[in-house]
Amino acid sequence: MSNHSLTPIPMVDLKEELALVRNPILASLTEVLDSGEYILGTKAAQLEEDVARYIGVPYAVGVGNGTDALQLSLMAFDIGPGDEVITTPFTFFATGEAIAQVGATPVFVDIDEATYNLDPSRIEEVITDRTKAIIVVHLYGQMAEMKSIMEVAKKYQIKVIEDACQAIGSEYNGVRAGAIGDIGCFSFFPSKNLGAYGDAGLITTNQQSLYEKLMQLRNHGSEQKYYHTLLGMNSRLDEFQAAILLAKLPYLDIFLHQRKEVARRYTESFHQQLRPPSVPQNRGHTFHQYCIELDNRDELALELNKHKVASAIYYPIPLHLQVAFQYLKYKEGDFPIAEKTAKRILALPIYPMLSIQKQAYVISIVKEFLESNR
Ligand SMILES: *Cc1c(COP(=O)(O)O)cnc(C)c1O
């Protein structure tokens, strides 16, 4: 079977889903063109309203991208030099970068071996009187252990920011990502579960005062044009991207369902040879990524590549070992679980339109590899 010559299988194929959404997107874009309102018009406002309703929060603020969402959230809490923010070392760089960009110090805590998310039992030991917030990341589309995290945060009166960039629509006890912490941050980078065709992001909150502050911060700290009460940023949600996202939002639940189906087929095929991604009972995993763990993952990646099947490593270097964070003085061995996972993890192609035939091809290569390497 693995000798079949098939078209290459990428990690994500955005063109396949375009066929489904092309017409509603073109109609939505045309409305923007004809409106003459190109910054913060009716599409951006409508998207904020619709996404807030989808997540189950009263407020949403559209911003430039997911990284800005994180940075603006920290700014909303006046977090800066001298402050510490706890987060996971096993995430995309932007999570730690946002903390450092506001002048605060990232403080890392190792992850849970099964879910790859921040291990709540390790948070308390790094809390100091400078700790102002925790940025909890819902990695690969699976929410972190929010109950314990919210409890620690409440005990020490620190803020919780959910980095839900990979987790739109994911659930924890029936509550969606971005609705539990003080603030939720989303990215609509094209390959995310809800993707724009450019950069875009959004912040959710339950608190009116935070909402009002974030609306100002994203627009140069002004409420009324040319009157600036805060130092903010230029990080508005682009009107054209909002139009695209509005056209795609009605498909989100279908796309998430299809991702779960792809994940289910992978797990069914591998569970005897590999530990499948662990999904605790109360968690609605949306499988932004489907990752497996194995000792010789580099060899499997090569084998897949030989058959024109993509794979990827999210992420090869934990944040505490990144060159840009050398100044924090962490060293190899500080977060053994994150380090071990970074050496063993491999993401397989997953996207809503991945056909059963293509997936079967990926599965056959992985299974053959696992069997010949036993
Ligand atoms: C994608 C991502 C971001 C950054 O989002 P951008 O829109 O690319 O700025 C931040 N955190 C995580 C976990 C992400 O996956």
Side-chain angles (χ1 to χ4, degrees):
M1 169 123 194
S2 45
N3 291 327
H4 276 211
S5 75
L6 275 163
T7 48
I9 302 175
M11 287 301 290
V12 217
D13 192 335
L14 298 174
K15 282 199 245 159
E16 283 192 44
E17 79 178 29
L18 180 60
L20 200 66
V21 292
R22 173 178 228 109
N23 287 332
I25 284 177
L26 287 175
S28 193
L29 287 172
T30 304
E31 282 170 24
V32 177
L33 273 179
D34 292 340
S35 75
E37 285 183 309
Y38 305 123
I39 302 275
L40 294 182
T42 54
K43 294 288 184 190
Q46 187 66 50
L47 185 77
E48 290 172 340
E49 202 180 311
D50 290 4
V51 174
R53 191 179 319 108
Y54 179 84
I55 307 288
V57 292
Y59 306 109
V61 179
V63 298
N65 53 68
T67 308
D68 283 0
L70 291 164
Q71 193 172 325
L72 286 160
S73 302
L74 294 161
M75 290 165 73
F77 294 128
D78 296 312
I79 291 171
D83 297 331
E84 293 173 1
V85 178
I86 296 169
T87 194
T88 164
F90 196 62
T91 176
F92 178 55
F93 185 69
T95 315
E97 188 181 34
I99 300 169
Q101 285 294 6
V102 299
T105 305
V107 174
F108 300 117
V109 162
D110 211 350
I111 55 169
D112 169 58
E113 197 158 25
T115 62
Y116 310 124
N117 282 324
L118 201 70
D119 181 347
S121 71
R122 297 172 200 265
I123 294 176
E124 237 172 319
E125 60 202 56
V126 299
I127 290 180
T128 70
D129 52 11
R130 295 165 172 233
T131 308
K132 292 287 150 54
I134 303 171
I135 300 186
V136 45
V137 180
H138 305 316
L139 201 70
Y140 305 147
Q142 166 142 274
M143 289 184 69
E145 186 45 65
M146 289 306 288
K147 185 164 178 284
S148 324
I149 291 167
M150 294 306 290
E151 278 166 9
V152 187
K154 197 168 169 205
K155 181 169 166 193
Y156 293 92
Q157 298 196 315
I158 52 189
K159 304 296 181 187
V160 175
I161 298 169
E162 293 177 65
D163 180 341
C165 289
Q166 301 185 3
I168 192 163
S170 303
E171 291 181 0
Y172 180 95
N173 284 336
V175 183
R176 286 194 165 142
I180 298 179
D182 295 279
I183 279 182
C185 296
F186 293 86
S187 166
F188 302 121
F189 186 84
S191 62
K192 298 288 159 88
N193 285 8
L194 177 61
Y197 296 146
D199 278 307
L202 181 135
I203 304 171
T204 53
T205 182
N206 286 303
Q207 299 160 45
Q208 189 182 353
S209 56
L210 278 176
Y211 167 70
E212 285 165 3
K213 193 164 179 186
L214 286 162
M215 288 290 271
Q216 269 182 266
L217 285 171
R218 72 160 178 195
N219 196 14
H220 301 294
S222 84
E223 204 172 354
Q224 191 191 344
K225 222 173 186 175
Y226 306 122
Y227 291 80
H228 304 268
T229 47
L230 297 167
L231 295 175
M233 290 168 60
N234 175 356
S235 184
R236 297 166 298 225
L237 173 61
D238 184 87
E239 190 71 2
F240 283 102
Q241 298 306 332
I244 290 165
L245 290 162
L246 271 177
K248 288 179 80 176
L249 188 59
Y251 296 88
L252 177 58
D253 280 337
I254 301 167
F255 288 154
L256 295 182
H257 174 75
Q258 286 171 318
R259 280 180 182 277
K260 290 179 204 173
E261 282 297 293
V262 173
R264 188 183 55 73
R265 290 195 291 267
Y266 274 143
T267 293
E268 247 171 44
S269 313
F270 304 143
H271 75 278
Q272 281 169 331
Q273 289 141 301
L274 287 172
R275 191 196 78 185
S278 124
V279 185
Q281 271 278 295
N282 57 352
R283 238 69 68 87
H285 196 322
T286 50
F287 290 99
H288 176 57
Q289 299 299 343
Y290 188 96
C291 292
I292 56 175
E293 258 190 80
L294 63 176
D295 293 333
N296 43 1
R297 70 98 197 269
D298 291 335
E299 285 166 51
L300 175 56
L302 280 174
E303 186 65 20
L304 287 163
N305 184 52
K306 222 167 73 188
H307 293 88
K308 296 194 164 54
V309 174
S311 63
I313 300 167
Y314 307 117
Y315 295 91
I317 305 186
L319 265 48
H320 68 289
L321 301 177
Q322 294 284 353
V323 173
F325 283 133
Q326 263 171 6
Y327 74 96
L328 294 172
K329 305 260 191 301
Y330 286 106
K331 56 185 187 316
E332 187 116 31
D334 282 345
F335 305 109
I337 301 171
E339 290 168 23
K340 185 186 82 175
T341 308
K343 292 192 177 94
R344 293 169 46 83
I345 203 96
L346 191 70
L348 299 176
I350 188 164
Y351 51 93
M353 319 303 256
L354 181 62
S355 69
I356 291 181
Q357 291 83 344
K358 282 186 178 169
Q359 192 183 3
Y361 184 64
V362 179
I363 289 168
S364 72
I365 297 163
V366 176
K367 281 187 89 92
E368 260 175 45
F369 177 86
L370 292 173
E371 269 149 35
S372 64
N373 281 271
R374 260 215 292 241

